[in-house]
Amino acid sequence: MKYAASAALAALLCLWSSSLLAADLLVEAESFTDHGGWKLDTQFIGEMGSPYLLAHGLGKPVAEAKTEVTFPTKGRYRVFVRTKDWVARWNAEGQPGKFQLAIDGKPLEETFGTKSADWFWHDGGVVDIENETVTLRLKDLTGFDGRCDAIYFTNDTTATPPSGGSQLAKWRKDQLGIVEDIKTEGPYDLVVIGGGYSGMGAALSAARMGCKVALIQDRPVLGGNGSSEVRVWAMGLIRRGKYPRIGEIIDEFADKAKKSPGTYEEFGDDKKEALVRAEPNIDLFLNHHANDLEMKDGEIASVTAFDTRTSQVRKFEGSFFCDATGHGSIGALAGALYDQTDKGRMGMSNMWRWDEADQPTTFPETPWALDLTMKDFPYPRDHHGQWFWESGFDKDPIGGAEAIRDWNLRAVYGAFNAMKNRDGASKHKNAELTWLAYVGGPRESRRLIGDVILTQEDIVAKREFPDGCVPSTWSIDLHYPKKEFADKFPENPFISIAVHDQRVDRAYGYPVPYRCFYSKNVPNLFMAGRCISVTHEALGTVRVMKTCGMMGEVVGKAVSICKLHDCSPREVYEEHWAEMDKLLQLPGQARRETVNAEIEMPKNIQPISPYGPPTGLDPNKMAGMVIDDRQAEKSGQWSEGSGLKGYVGHGYLYSGQKGATVRFPIKVKKAGNYEVRYAYLPHENRSAQVNVTLVIETSKESTIVNMKEQPPIEGGFVSLGTFTIKPGEDSYVEVVSSGNGNVHADAVQLIPMDGK
C-alpha cells in the first residue's frame, strides 16, 4: 500500500512538474496596448512571418511601448525576444537597433537587437516572475529602427521556440489559441484586397453601383503610396479621353500635395477613411493582412486575413475578388498566371525630409550606415529627399523587401551623417532630419496576366482596343541606377534616374483595355494597380496613382454587371460591353442601392471634356461664348504650352514658323451684335506685329497686336471690335505667323452686346 501510495504521489508530482514546465506565455509585440513611439510595421509579413514593432526615431530613442500581461503561474521563466541586428547582413560596424525589455520596471541584463542577421529568438536569460500580472516595456536605446516581433516566456528553461517557416506559424497559432476562432465575414459581391488608390477606386465604384464590398487594408490608413506614410503625390491625369467621367471618384480623395514628399496634412488620411466609411455598401477592415485563401471549382471562394494588432483571423467570402495589393499577392496565392521581370526591374523608394531648426542640432554618428560623403549623393535641395532615393533594382522585390527597405534607410542615414558630421557639417549646423518613410514605396514586382498583355508598342502606336477605357497620360517612365552615384555601391545602387519615352498622348491619354484588369485563368479575379496585365515597359506609364485609381473605378462597375447577369469578368467584355459602355459614362457620384435598383444621378454634374478639367481659366465660367485653341484649326508647326499662367482652358498654342496658321471657327446660335476678343499671353520672344483677322462671310477686319505687351482687357484679351454676326455665316478669327517672333494663340471670346 505504501508503494502504491508512493507511485500515485510520484505520478501526481510528474503531472504537476509537466504542467509547470509547460507553462508559457507568448506576447506578440503588435498586441501591446500602448505602442508608445514604436511603429507597427506590416510590410514584410510574407517574408518573416509577422508584423513587428519598429523604433523609428530618426536617431532619437522613441517612447516606450508597454502592456500588461498575465502569466499562467508564478515561477522561473526563460525569456526569448524575436528580433535581429538589422545591419548584420552587411557586416556593418555597430548595432543601431538596440533595445531593452523591462519587466515591472526592471530591464533585463541582455540588450536586444545586437545579434543575428536573420530574425531569431534572442535568449534573454532566466527571470523570476513573482506576480502573475506584470507590465512589460520595450525601451528603445538608439532611435535607429530597433525591431521586436514577439516575446516568449517558458518554464521549460531548456526550450527554444521554432525559428521560422510553417513550423513557426503553426506554433504561434497554437500559443495564441486562435486556430478555432475564425470569424466569417460576408458573403460579399466584391472583396478588395489593398487600400491604395486602386483598391479605393474599386471599392467606391462597386459600392455606388449597388455591390456589397469588403475593403481590406494591412495599414492603419488608406492611400497606399499616396498616404502620409509614403507621401508620393498623386500623378496621372484624370477625367479625359474616351470616357471623361472616369476619374471623378478619384478626384474626391486625391491629394493636392505641392511637393513629393509632401507634408503629413496634404495627404488627408482622415478624409480618405471618412469617404469610404460614408458608403453604406462598404465594410472597411484596416490593419488586416490577407495571407491565405480557399479555392472551389477553380475560383476563389474566400480570402483569409488576420488583424495585425490582435491576430484575430477573419475569412471573407465573396463572389468576386480584386487584387489591389500591388504585388499581385492574392493572384499568386490563387495560382493566377503572372510575370515578373528579373533584371532591370524598378526598385523601392523611401523618401525623406529635413528642415532648419532655430538653433544648432546634433545627429549621432552612424558607422553602420552607408559610408557617404557629400559627393556620393544628390544634394536634397529644398529640404527634400525625393523619389530617386531608390534601390533594389535586381533584388527580390517580395522575399527581399525588408533588406531593400533597410538598405534605403542606411543610405539616408549615411547621407544625413555626411551633412551633419562630415564634409557638410559647416553648412548644416541647424539641419534636422524630420521625416523618413519607413514604409517603402515599391514600383514593380508581379504582374498578373489577363486576356490582353499591354505593350509599349501598343501605347506608342496608339493601338485601338474596343474595350480601351482608362486614360494613361504619364510618359513611359522607367527607372535605372544613376551611374555617377552607382560606382561606389555597384551591388545595390541607391540613387535612380528616370528614362522617359515621351510618345504617350499626355492630353487625351492612351485608353488601357479593360481586358488587362482580370485574370486569364482565375475566373473571378480582378486586378487593379501596378499588378495589372502589362509588360515591364508598359508598366512605366500605367503605374502612377491616379491612373491606378481609375482602373479600380472600371473594375467596380464591371463587378456590378457580373452580379446583375451572373457572368464572369471575361463575359462583361464578350457579352455585355454595351452596358459597360453606359456605366463608364456615368458621373462618379451616380449610385444605386443594389445592382437591380434604378441609378440615381447627382444633382450637380461636372462638365466633361476629352482633355479633362481645365487647368487654366474655365471657358464654361467665362462670359459669352469662348472658342478655345483646342477647337481651332491648325496648319504648320504649332507647339502646345502651359508655362505662362492665365491661359484659357488647358494651355495655349505658339509658333514662330513663317506661314503657320491657326483659325478659330465662329458659330453663333442667335443673330446679334458681338464684341469679338482675342486672348494671348505676353512674352519677350513674341512678335510685336501680329495680324489678327476677323472674317465674317466675305468681309475682313484686321487688327495689329503687339504680343510683347500686356493685353488691355482683364483676363488677357484684346478687343477686335463689335460686329453683327448671324447663324450659318462662315465666320472665323485667323492668325498667320510672319516668322518674326512667336505668335501666341489662346482663345477667342464673343460678348453679346444687344440688351446691354
Side-chain angles (χ1 to χ4, degrees):
M1 293 292 295
K2 286 184 178 180
Y3 177 81
S6 298
L9 178 61
L12 286 172
L13 287 172
C14 182
L15 286 171
W16 176 83
S17 177
S18 296
S19 64
L20 180 63
L21 289 174
D24 51 18
L25 175 67
L26 175 65
V27 183
E28 296 279 12
E30 62 268 21
S31 71
F32 272 45
T33 54
D34 182 359
H35 288 180
W38 294 66
K39 307 293 185 182
L40 179 59
D41 197 336
T42 63
Q43 301 168 86
F44 315 115
I45 295 172
E47 180 180 350
M48 53 75 63
S50 173
Y52 60 81
L53 291 186
L54 181 76
H56 188 61
L58 308 180
K60 298 176 183 178
V62 304
E64 295 176 349
K66 56 187 176 183
T67 196
E68 191 175 85
V69 299
T70 300
F71 280 79
T73 183
K74 302 174 188 178
R76 174 158 290 195
Y77 288 82
R78 183 170 291 281
V79 187
F80 293 93
V81 177
R82 192 165 190 253
T83 183
K84 68 190 299 186
D85 174 3
W86 68 271
V87 301
R89 71 170 72 233
W90 297 289
N91 296 316
E93 176 187 347
Q95 298 157 329
K98 297 176 184 177
F99 66 96
Q100 292 177 313
L101 172 64
I103 301 175
D104 276 343
K106 183 179 179 180
L108 300 182
E109 292 184 4
E110 187 73 12
T111 299
F112 300 97
T114 58
K115 298 177 181 178
S116 180
D118 299 315
W119 284 94
F120 84 119
W121 290 100
H122 190 147
D123 189 345
V126 176
V127 295
D128 289 316
I129 301 299
E130 299 174 352
N131 302 301
E132 288 187 357
T133 300
V134 303
T135 298
L136 304 181
R137 297 174 186 266
L138 295 177
K139 300 172 67 70
D140 175 33
L141 299 178
T142 68
F144 282 123
D145 302 285
R147 51 204 71 181
C148 178
D149 172 24
I151 304 163
Y152 177 57
F153 297 87
T154 178
N155 272 355
D156 182 356
T157 56
T158 63
T160 302
S163 59
S166 59
Q167 186 181 12
L168 174 61
K170 182 180 184 305
W171 179 84
R172 279 185 196 272
K173 290 181 179 180
D174 292 342
Q175 290 292 325
L176 296 172
I178 60 174
V179 177
E180 301 300 326
D181 186 21
I182 299 177
K183 292 185 178 180
T184 299
E185 307 286 351
Y188 293 96
D189 298 323
L190 175 65
V191 178
V192 181
I193 306 93
Y197 271 54
S198 55
M200 287 184 67
L204 289 164
S205 176
R208 291 179 183 180
M209 286 296 98
C211 298
K212 185 65 177 174
V213 180
L215 176 57
I216 303 170
Q217 166 71 331
D218 65 354
R219 300 299 306 157
V221 297
L222 295 167
N225 284 348
S227 71
S228 66
E229 294 188 320
V230 187
R231 303 191 192 180
V232 179
W233 55 6
M235 291 287 104
L237 301 177
I238 59 176
R239 297 171 51 198
R240 67 195 57 242
K242 188 176 179 181
Y243 297 104
R245 292 288 180 202
I246 301 177
E248 288 185 358
I249 293 177
I250 304 308
D251 206 21
E252 294 179 39
F253 63 80
D255 69 78
K256 304 296 189 294
K258 299 177 180 64
K259 297 175 182 176
S260 185
T263 64
Y264 171 88
E265 294 77 13
E266 285 178 313
F267 287 88
D269 295 341
D270 292 342
K271 176 183 177 181
K272 292 182 176 73
E273 183 175 341
L275 184 68
V276 169
R277 292 197 185 278
E279 293 293 336
N281 279 341
I282 299 179
D283 290 338
L284 175 62
F285 297 87
L286 295 174
N287 298 296
H288 278 72
H289 176 77
N291 64 342
D292 200 3
L293 53 76
E294 292 178 343
M295 301 290 291
K296 184 177 181 180
D297 298 328
E299 295 188 349
I300 303 174
S302 67
V303 163
T304 301
F306 69 90
D307 190 318
T308 56
R309 303 156 300 178
T310 67
S311 296
Q312 171 66 60
V313 178
R314 283 183 166 87
K315 182 169 73 171
F316 297 86
E317 296 179 341
S319 300
F320 297 92
F321 297 80
C322 178
D323 189 330
T325 63
H327 288 306
S329 302
I330 300 304
L333 286 171
L337 299 170
Y338 69 86
D339 190 17
Q340 184 172 300
T341 299
D342 292 329
K343 297 292 182 181
R345 183 179 53 247
M346 292 179 283
M348 173 199 293
S349 291
N350 289 81
M351 298 190 296
W352 56 289
R353 292 171 61 104
W354 64 282
D355 290 295
E356 301 281 356
D358 295 331
Q359 57 191 13
T361 62
T362 60
F363 185 72
E365 295 276 357
T366 58
W368 43 266
L370 297 193
D371 182 14
L372 302 178
T373 62
M374 296 298 292
K375 71 176 187 298
D376 294 326
F377 58 91
Y379 185 72
R381 300 187 185 281
D382 200 23
H383 301 86
H384 284 68
Q386 299 179 49
W387 57 267
F388 45 75
W389 289 78
E390 174 184 2
S391 75
F393 297 95
D394 293 332
K395 307 297 183 182
D396 182 349
I398 299 169
E402 188 180 27
I404 296 172
R405 191 277 307 269
D406 288 348
W407 182 266
N408 287 347
L409 297 184
R410 291 183 71 212
V412 173
Y413 290 136
F416 201 68
N417 183 61
M419 293 168 62
K420 291 294 294 181
N421 302 318
R422 290 188 170 184
D423 50 336
S426 63
K427 296 181 179 179
H428 298 92
K429 293 181 179 179
N430 290 23
E432 186 174 29
L433 185 60
T434 53
W435 179 78
L436 164 58
Y438 70 91
V439 178
R443 288 181 177 81
E444 182 177 5
S445 50
R446 300 185 191 98
R447 302 184 305 277
L448 304 178
I449 293 177
D451 281 349
V452 169
I453 303 175
L454 192 69
T455 69
Q456 180 176 12
E457 293 73 24
D458 294 333
I459 297 166
V460 170
K462 295 186 178 181
R463 180 182 176 187
E464 187 174 346
F465 291 91
D467 54 335
C469 51
V470 170
S472 185
T473 57
W474 199 249
S475 65
I476 295 175
D477 173 6
L478 300 174
H479 291 195
Y480 304 94
K482 193 168 186 179
K483 189 177 186 311
E484 65 181 284
F485 299 116
D487 292 342
K488 192 169 183 178
F489 298 97
E491 75 282 4
N492 194 2
F494 63 89
I495 298 295
S496 70
I497 186 172
V499 177
H500 296 267
D501 183 337
Q502 301 282 9
R503 293 175 292 173
V504 176
D505 186 340
R506 290 183 60 85
Y508 183 85
Y510 175 77
V512 179
Y514 161 76
R515 283 171 290 170
C516 294
F517 306 151
Y518 62 83
S519 170
K520 186 180 183 68
N521 67 310
V522 180
N524 65 337
L525 176 63
F526 287 96
M527 54 266 195
R530 61 183 178 85
C531 58
I532 66 165
S533 182
V534 294
T535 63
H536 161 74
E537 293 78 13
L539 180 65
T541 178
V542 303
R543 63 183 173 79
V544 292
M545 282 178 298
K546 287 185 181 179
T547 305
C548 290
M550 289 188 287
M551 299 173 195
E553 288 190 37
V554 170
V555 165
K557 288 178 168 58
V559 171
S560 72
I561 293 178
C562 289
K563 289 299 296 183
L564 186 62
H565 297 289
D566 190 23
C567 69
S568 69
R570 178 176 289 117
E571 289 168 330
V572 170
Y573 169 71
E574 293 178 343
E575 300 177 15
H576 302 285
W577 190 252
E579 186 174 349
M580 183 67 171
D581 177 85
K582 292 178 181 178
L583 292 187
L584 294 177
Q585 297 182 52
L586 289 176
Q589 284 282 351
R591 61 181 65 234
R592 56 189 175 192
E593 290 186 13
T594 68
V595 294
N596 297 296
E598 290 292 324
I599 293 175
E600 300 176 9
M601 299 296 282
K603 293 180 180 179
N604 299 316
I605 298 178
Q606 302 183 63
I608 59 172
S609 161
Y611 299 102
T615 53
L617 301 175
D618 188 347
N620 296 304
K621 297 179 181 179
M622 298 172 67
M625 182 176 76
V626 176
I627 305 103
D628 190 34
D629 61 276
R630 289 193 181 275
Q631 300 166 264
E633 303 164 2
K634 304 184 293 289
S635 65
Q637 294 180 0
W638 290 88
S639 299
E640 293 189 8
S642 58
L644 301 177
K645 300 307 177 185
Y647 55 79
V648 175
H650 301 83
Y652 50 81
L653 300 172
Y654 62 94
S655 177
Q657 182 191 46
K658 186 176 181 178
T661 303
V662 64
R663 179 178 292 184
F664 293 83
I666 296 174
K667 298 184 185 299
V668 299
K669 295 181 180 179
K670 182 179 178 181
N673 296 313
Y674 297 86
E675 181 187 6
V676 182
R677 298 175 176 180
Y678 184 83
Y680 72 93
L681 294 169
H683 194 272
E684 60 185 12
N685 69 7
R686 301 298 191 242
S687 172
Q689 295 269 330
V690 178
N691 192 346
V692 181
T693 303
L694 170 64
V695 176
I696 303 176
E697 284 291 344
T698 58
S699 64
K700 293 184 179 182
E701 293 286 342
S702 294
T703 303
I704 302 299
V705 178
N706 182 356
M707 291 192 175
K708 292 179 179 291
E709 297 179 350
Q710 186 72 28
I713 301 176
E714 185 179 356
F717 287 88
V718 60
S719 179
L720 305 181
T722 299
F723 305 89
T724 301
I725 306 176
K726 301 176 183 178
E729 290 182 328
D730 185 17
S731 305
Y732 55 87
V733 172
E734 184 176 78
V735 177
V736 181
S737 173
S738 66
N740 185 21
N742 281 337
V743 170
H744 188 112
D746 189 5
V748 168
Q749 184 182 32
L750 273 64
I751 306 293
M753 304 303 292
D754 297 333
K756 290 192 87 178

